[in-house]
Amino acid sequence: MPGWDDVFLRGIEGYRQKQQPNTLSALSISINPAYRGLGLSRQMVTAMKEIAIQNGLTYMLAPVRPSFKHKYPLTPMEKYIRWQTPEGAPFDPWVRTHWKLVAKIMQVASESMFIKGNVAQWESWTGMRFPESGTYMIPDALTPVQIDVEKDEALYIEPYIWMQHFL
């Protein structure tokens, strides 16, 4: 399944072709750390659902970046999304927020976001050194980054989860 960047391309193409939209897609919700834990993300998702309903749309989708996945970068997303709390809710807090708002997991977008750069860029972005080619774990990343020192290339591919909200 395509990643969130595909939402942009499809939206632009649909607009150019004068297609009537039927779906609202979230792209990102970012909450300042000082305001986390206050239920703002839930309010944002609820507001998007209300906008979709008010505009007569049929669907609302969200490419969800799980908030705890960076703690388990070697676990494939397909396994991670099956983890549950003892109560049977999704393990991940951000996925659980969507789930509580009556969303379901559609599928994993295993290549949702690509970040390419040269080795020096990645060293400056991460504050790490990459002395040889290989796979490296970087802070807050959902998966490892691939470094090729000989080609002076680095590639990070981040998976997301597509979730469907029912309107």
Side-chain angles (χ1 to χ4, degrees), residues 4 9 16 22 24 37 44 54 62 67 99 104 108 118 120 137 144 149 160:
W4 64 267
L9 300 174
R16 286 181 179 156
N22 67 350
L24 173 70
M44 297 290 288
Q54 290 168 3
S67 57
W99 178 79
K104 73 169 187 170
V108 171
N118 61 40
M137 309 300 261
V149 173
Y160 279 28

Side-chain angles (χ1 to χ4, degrees), residues 57-92:
L57 300 177
T58 306
Y59 306 103
M60 181 179 135
L61 305 176
V64 176
R65 183 186 195 269
S67 57
F68 277 9
K69 174 68 172 80
H70 70 278
K71 297 179 180 186
Y72 308 94
L74 298 179
T75 301
M77 186 69 84
E78 291 77 10
K79 283 187 177 187
Y80 180 82
I81 64 173
R82 291 195 303 265
W83 294 358
Q84 296 182 342
T85 66
E87 299 77 33
F91 168 79
D92 188 86

Side-chain angles (χ1 to χ4, degrees), residues 8 28 44 79 85 96 102 125:
F8 285 114
S28 176
M44 297 290 288
K79 283 187 177 187
T85 66
R96 191 167 51 248
V102 196
W125 296 338

